[in-house]
Amino acid sequence: MGIVYVSVLFFLANRAKSVDKTSKQYLLGGSNLGALLGFFTIAATLFSTFSLLGMPDFFRVHGIGAWIFLMFSHCVMTFGLIWLGYQLHKKAKNHSWRGMAGFMGQNYGHRFAGIVAFFGVFVFLIPYISIQIRGVAIFLSASFPGVIPMWAWATILVIIMLIYSEVGGLKAIMHSDVLQGVLLLVAIWIIGYNCLNHFGGVRAMFEEVEIVNEALLSVPGPKGLFDFQFLLGSMIAISLMPYTQPQISTRLVILKNVKSLYKMAISLGIFGIIIILPTAFMGMYGAVLYPEFSTSEFLNKTYIGDQTNFVASVVMIGIIAAAISTSDSQLFALGGELRSILKGEDRKMVKYARVGIFFFALIALLFALMSSDELALLARTSFAGTALLAPMILTGIFYDHAHRIRTLPLLTLVALLIFIASLVGWLPHQVTGIRMDLALITLLSAISLLMILFDKIKNSRTQDFS
Amino acid sequence: MKNRLWTFCRIAVGVIVLITFTPLVTPPGIKEPFFMGMPYTLWLGITITLLIVALTWLGTMVHPGNKD
């Protein structure tokens, strides 16, 4: 089954292969994305190993607050797509869009803004890509003990991703996303249904969970994770992903028209609910049957050990598909971002971007071998990190005179560095009781608004005098 | 009329976001009342997400970008 899956991926890559290696064709897939393909590619990019492996574990360990953490935030994001997403789509279509970093460079009138945007996505997307690779590699390693080591699984995944995305470009990735999205949906529902079936229904499931660990049935959960600040910070970070994570921004911009954007947004909201609901069943199943297991032990038992061989194979392919569809999009997006800040002959710059993708993949692979197993929390850190770019990006998109407030990119860089310092322990995780990510984004947002306000006042005075 | 409905959608989503972070939707340590066997925050959370999807659908009908 695995061989069939990989063959189909390469077939799609070969079919989508374009001899025209320009930015528009290779990095932006021809910039003419319809609603259906747009929906599948964004859904497959958004719902990843983090959803398939991280969310069941989040429900198992921290309880039903995981729904508010992800699904509520996801739905706020989909509403935002028809509001802010529409504005980005409209504005970027009128510019020669190559990537968010380049777009920021254009709007702020200097390359530094683009470099800050690239730095932010590079630093916080690499860990996100790494956890996809690591998640699947530890899962495969546990499922086939003694066959090959974890690092070898990780390397094989990266090689598969690199081959088909380098051959076919963004179009190949988007076409394969349709396959990956369907596989993800099938896999997640087979397991979700089996887990629910084990209890005989929703009511019986929660009755058993109540006996095992009552705290899982309310917020903030047994470990107190889902408190007000965590949920609010998560909602802000997740709802801003279409503007702060280039793999989604680019797909938004290259949608054919506004109607496609609307249809994609509604489908994405519904798809999110359908995909996350069964992960709650899996989490509750794990909470009752395997409360003391480690993440990998629980996932291995639930996805493989407790299933028939056929189901286990389908699920394994689904998990690999989930990881590959997100990671390849992110790696490719990093390449696109690199291209967008480079100046020179287009085909030559695309070549540099392709070399860049190879190096980004190598860094992600190394990081994957060293990172921790807390997939959902690491993903959340990535969302929070890229969210710090939001005030600068949104100002760049919506304020026509962003080039007059040049200090905002510098302040954004400082905020990113402070957040990184807090993550590695050089600075505290909280400031006066407020989570560092929440404090920084609040401060940056307030500064951005004040800068726009002062700029408007200053400009109107200048106009009055003249 | 469409503009008013679009404003309504934005305000409605804003209000939903606000109440989600109050004890009305996420009361600490409260699991009752259950609905269809689900604990309070979960069934209300699912209802809220469905409501936002419905508002997104309505939004696409009345969004000013429809003219483009």
Side-chain angles (χ1 to χ4, degrees):
Chain A
M1 203 179 274
I3 294 167
V4 174
Y5 165 68
V6 175
S7 308
V8 174
L9 275 186
F10 288 141
F11 167 73
L12 289 171
N14 198 48
R15 225 181 117 208
K17 188 168 75 177
S18 165
V19 266
D20 185 12
K21 295 276 193 291
T22 57
S23 295
K24 192 178 175 187
Q25 285 303 325
Y26 185 74
L27 294 174
L28 301 175
S31 294
N32 197 23
L33 190 59
L36 189 67
L37 191 56
F39 152 66
F40 268 111
T41 187
I42 294 181
T45 302
L46 272 174
F47 295 99
S48 53
T49 326
F50 154 66
S51 322
L52 202 56
L53 302 180
M55 283 307 287
D57 197 45
F58 235 33
F59 274 109
R60 176 182 74 116
V61 178
H62 301 290
I64 53 92
W67 184 270
I68 303 288
F69 156 69
L70 188 67
M71 271 329 294
F72 167 70
S73 309
H74 170 82
C75 286
V76 173
M77 181 199 81
T78 54
F79 183 81
L81 284 176
I82 60 164
W83 187 3
L84 305 179
Y86 162 77
Q87 299 288 348
L88 169 66
H89 174 81
K90 198 176 159 189
K91 196 159 181 182
K93 279 273 181 193
N94 296 330
H95 287 68
S96 53
W97 170 277
R98 288 202 174 108
M100 187 57 90
F103 192 52
M104 286 301 107
Q106 279 179 29
N107 290 358
Y108 279 92
H110 57 100
R111 274 176 97 187
F112 181 68
I115 291 167
V116 172
F118 178 74
F119 172 76
V121 292
F122 172 76
V123 168
F124 288 103
L125 271 193
I126 289 288
Y128 193 15
I129 300 166
S130 305
I131 57 169
Q132 315 288 329
I133 300 165
R134 185 179 177 86
V136 179
I138 54 170
F139 181 76
L140 289 170
S141 182
S143 306
F144 301 103
V147 179
I148 51 172
M150 193 274 270
W151 65 264
W153 283 116
T155 310
I156 292 170
L157 282 171
V158 172
I159 291 171
I160 294 173
M161 260 189 287
L162 276 176
I163 292 175
Y164 84 81
S165 55
E166 286 270 352
V167 167
L170 185 61
K171 210 171 245 178
I173 292 175
M174 291 192 302
H175 282 255
S176 69
D177 280 345
V178 179
L179 170 74
Q180 326 258 41
V182 173
L183 278 171
L184 173 66
L185 188 64
V186 171
I188 219 161
W189 265 102
I190 292 175
I191 302 292
Y193 175 79
N194 285 350
C195 289
L196 188 62
N197 213 26
H198 167 84
F199 298 102
V202 174
R203 194 179 304 272
M205 178 176 75
F206 284 113
E207 277 169 2
E208 287 207 38
V209 174
E210 194 173 10
I211 297 165
V212 175
N213 191 348
E214 197 183 354
L216 289 168
L217 302 182
S218 60
V219 288
K223 296 186 176 178
L225 181 71
F226 297 131
D227 59 7
F228 167 74
Q229 283 195 37
F230 183 89
L231 292 175
L232 178 66
S234 304
M235 188 209 71
I236 293 170
I238 292 171
S239 59
L240 290 171
M241 277 172 68
Y243 324 103
T244 57
Q245 301 227 342
Q247 73 277 17
I248 308 172
S249 321
T250 296
R251 283 161 172 75
L252 256 185
V253 172
I254 63 173
L255 280 166
K256 203 186 316 183
N257 51 36
V258 179
K259 292 275 178 216
S260 305
L261 173 73
Y262 291 161
K263 285 181 193 164
M264 182 276 295
I266 301 167
S267 319
L268 199 61
I270 297 167
F271 187 79
I273 295 172
I274 296 172
I275 216 107
I276 296 301
L277 194 61
T279 67
F281 304 153
M282 296 176 211
M284 295 301 117
Y285 175 85
V288 173
L289 270 74
Y290 312 117
E292 305 301 330
F293 278 30
S294 69
T295 304
S296 58
E297 286 170 339
F298 151 64
L299 293 171
N300 192 256
K301 279 297 278 179
T302 309
Y303 283 115
I304 305 293
D306 297 348
Q307 312 300 329
T308 62
N309 283 345
F310 177 73
V311 170
S313 325
V314 173
V315 168
M316 209 166 280
I317 300 295
I319 291 171
I320 296 170
I324 287 184
S325 62
T326 305
S327 313
D328 61 5
S329 303
Q330 290 169 326
L331 281 172
F332 210 78
L334 279 174
E337 290 300 297
L338 177 65
R339 161 65 192 103
S340 75
I341 52 170
L342 294 176
K343 282 190 175 140
E345 198 267 315
D346 190 45
R347 279 169 212 272
K348 200 174 171 188
M349 295 306 113
V350 172
K351 260 187 199 166
Y352 289 153
R354 292 177 73 186
V355 175
I357 291 171
F358 176 78
F359 279 104
F360 299 142
L362 203 63
I363 297 167
L365 177 62
L366 292 175
F367 204 88
L369 302 178
M370 298 184 299
S371 64
S372 102
D373 289 348
E374 293 205 51
L375 306 180
L377 275 179
L378 274 170
R380 198 235 174 240
T381 305
S382 163
F383 303 157
T386 51
L388 291 178
L389 295 168
M392 180 186 88
I393 288 176
L394 294 178
T395 305
I397 297 171
F398 298 112
Y399 189 49
D400 289 335
H401 308 292
H403 58 277
R404 292 202 299 245
I405 42 178
R406 292 187 163 207
T407 41
L408 191 55
L410 180 66
L411 291 174
T412 304
L413 179 65
V414 172
L416 286 168
L417 294 173
I418 290 174
F419 187 49
I420 294 166
S422 80
L423 288 175
V424 295
W426 294 345
L427 286 173
H429 295 298
Q430 294 196 334
V431 189
T432 59
I434 302 171
R435 291 176 67 97
M436 185 62 91
D437 55 328
L438 200 55
L440 286 171
I441 196 165
T442 309
L443 195 64
L444 272 179
S445 304
I447 291 172
S448 311
L449 290 173
L450 283 174
M451 280 179 160
I452 292 171
L453 189 69
F454 284 134
D455 183 68
K456 280 186 171 176
I457 293 169
K458 196 175 143 191
N459 199 44
S460 63
R461 276 186 188 162
T462 315
Q463 279 176 351
D464 287 345
F465 282 121
S466 61
Chain B
M1 184 60 187
K2 277 192 169 181
N3 275 349
R4 278 189 189 171
L5 276 172
W6 172 234
T7 307
F8 163 77
C9 288
R10 285 185 291 176
I11 292 173
V13 171
V15 170
I16 290 171
V17 168
L18 284 179
I19 64 161
T20 299
F21 295 109
T22 67
L24 200 66
V25 178
T26 47
I30 304 288
K31 60 179 194 296
E32 287 166 333
F34 281 80
F35 177 67
M36 292 170 72
M38 289 183 279
Y40 179 71
T41 298
L42 182 61
W43 68 256
L44 196 55
I46 293 174
T47 310
I48 278 174
T49 50
L50 289 171
L51 202 59
I52 300 177
V53 172
L55 284 164
T56 306
W57 171 78
L58 178 63
T60 62
M61 301 283 135
V62 297
H63 186 258
N66 252 324
K67 289 175 283 193
D68 294 354

